[in-house]
Amino acid sequence: MTPRTLVVRANGLEHRVIEWGDADAKRTVVLLHGFMDAPGTFGDVVPALVRVGFRVLAPHQRGFGQAPRVPEGAYYHFPDYVFDLAEVIDACVKDATFSLVGHSMGGTVATLFAGAFPERIEKLVLLEGTGPLDNPAGVAPIRMRKWIEDVRALRKKEQKPLRSREDALARLSQNHGSVPVEVLRRRVDDLVGEGPNGELAWLFDPLHRTLSPSPFFVASYKEFAKRVSCPVLVVDGGPAGYQPPDEAERLACFAHVQRQSLTAAGHMMHWTEPDAVARLLVEFL
């Protein structure tokens, strides 16, 4: 299934959105990738959605994949991603409602959007995407200082290019030890490409290696969740995945929520068990 790429001006930046299926389909589902990921890695999940009549959109989120990088002196914060999504939706979906699926970081962005604009969302799916660990208020000044130190150090550090795609595969294997190497090999082309000087490089802004100055506060997340009025499906990847210890309290804030578990999938479930993820999405959506 050959995707198309839409180029959209959103939130002052030029964004790229992958589109599959009939552009005039009556139903749209938007897929949001996670941290250090890219939208193309949803490719094995998409065909099942298209077969049942969905138009599928998957934006490159700022700082990842083929998305724009922020200018010098700017940074990446959750509100930026929500604003980007709002304008991508206005451009690509207009005023129609749609379903929203978010994996990991994308799940947090999806929840924030769905809480801010509950009337736009038909159904919400969170794939191990109920947010990072909570932070006490006292950590804020510590993170602020660490962020400044990290960014200053990054500016002085020489960015080393990848030697080859096999080098990239070896590094992916180190970071995703539970994911079969044949699965990782298929993901390399989504995550690696041409760097700013024509070198082989990871397709993410190195700023993502620094600690954000904005702590994640579960109390705020819960307020967004309380405003989500649509049905919500939460899927976890089992013991090898990631579920915050207070996840049940977070989920209790959604008005209509159900859970499913892919017990052997791990965190990168759309990589490891795309058919199972697709089946759950089709059944729910």
Side-chain angles (χ1 to χ4, degrees), residues 182-240:
E182 61 270 19
V183 173
L184 296 176
R185 191 179 297 278
R186 295 180 62 191
R187 299 281 69 94
V188 168
D189 285 342
D190 294 308
L191 304 174
V192 170
E194 186 175 304
N197 300 311
E199 75 281 16
L200 190 66
W202 295 109
L203 293 178
F204 64 81
D205 189 331
L207 272 177
H208 287 302
R209 295 190 185 275
T210 64
L211 180 71
S212 169
S214 303
F216 179 81
F217 296 125
V218 169
S220 296
Y221 176 89
K222 288 180 177 178
E223 294 304 315
F224 282 90
K226 290 174 184 176
R227 288 174 51 86
V228 176
S229 55
C230 68
V232 179
L233 172 65
V234 176
V235 185
D236 71 74

Side-chain angles (χ1 to χ4, degrees), residues 44-57:
D44 293 336
V45 175
V46 167
L49 293 168
V50 172
R51 282 196 297 270
V52 296
F54 279 103
R55 175 197 185 201
V56 181
L57 299 175

Side-chain angles (χ1 to χ4, degrees), residues 70-247:
V70 296
E72 185 76 16
Y75 197 67
Y76 300 94
H77 304 281
F78 274 123
D80 297 317
Y81 291 102
V82 179
F83 201 150
D84 291 348
L85 178 60
E87 298 214 322
V88 166
I89 292 303
D90 286 351
C92 297
V93 187
K94 308 299 183 185
D95 57 357
T97 58
F98 63 99
S99 291
L100 185 56
V101 178
H103 171 252
S104 194
M105 181 198 81
T108 304
V109 176
T111 301
L112 299 181
F113 181 91
F117 301 95
E119 73 281 2
R120 299 302 310 274
I121 308 299
E122 294 177 2
K123 293 186 178 181
L124 174 66
V125 181
L126 306 177
L127 307 175
E128 293 223 333
T130 55
L133 294 173
D134 195 13
N135 283 273
V139 80
I142 298 170
R143 289 183 66 117
M144 183 69 72
R145 177 172 178 148
K146 182 66 165 64
W147 170 62
I148 292 172
E149 291 172 346
D150 282 357
V151 173
R152 284 175 170 171
L154 180 69
R155 288 171 178 166
K156 297 176 182 178
K157 183 178 180 180
E158 181 183 358
Q159 298 299 314
K160 296 181 180 179
L162 290 164
R163 295 189 298 272
S164 65
R165 280 176 165 73
E166 287 300 316
D167 181 25
L169 178 61
R171 298 194 198 184
L172 280 177
S173 296
Q174 290 178 347
N175 293 329
H176 299 284
S178 63
V179 179
V181 67
E182 61 270 19
V183 173
L184 296 176
R185 191 179 297 278
R186 295 180 62 191
R187 299 281 69 94
V188 168
D189 285 342
D190 294 308
L191 304 174
V192 170
E194 186 175 304
N197 300 311
E199 75 281 16
L200 190 66
W202 295 109
L203 293 178
F204 64 81
D205 189 331
L207 272 177
H208 287 302
R209 295 190 185 275
T210 64
L211 180 71
S212 169
S214 303
F216 179 81
F217 296 125
V218 169
S220 296
Y221 176 89
K222 288 180 177 178
E223 294 304 315
F224 282 90
K226 290 174 184 176
R227 288 174 51 86
V228 176
S229 55
C230 68
V232 179
L233 172 65
V234 176
V235 185
D236 71 74
Y242 166 75
Q243 302 93 47
D246 59 345
E247 186 170 70

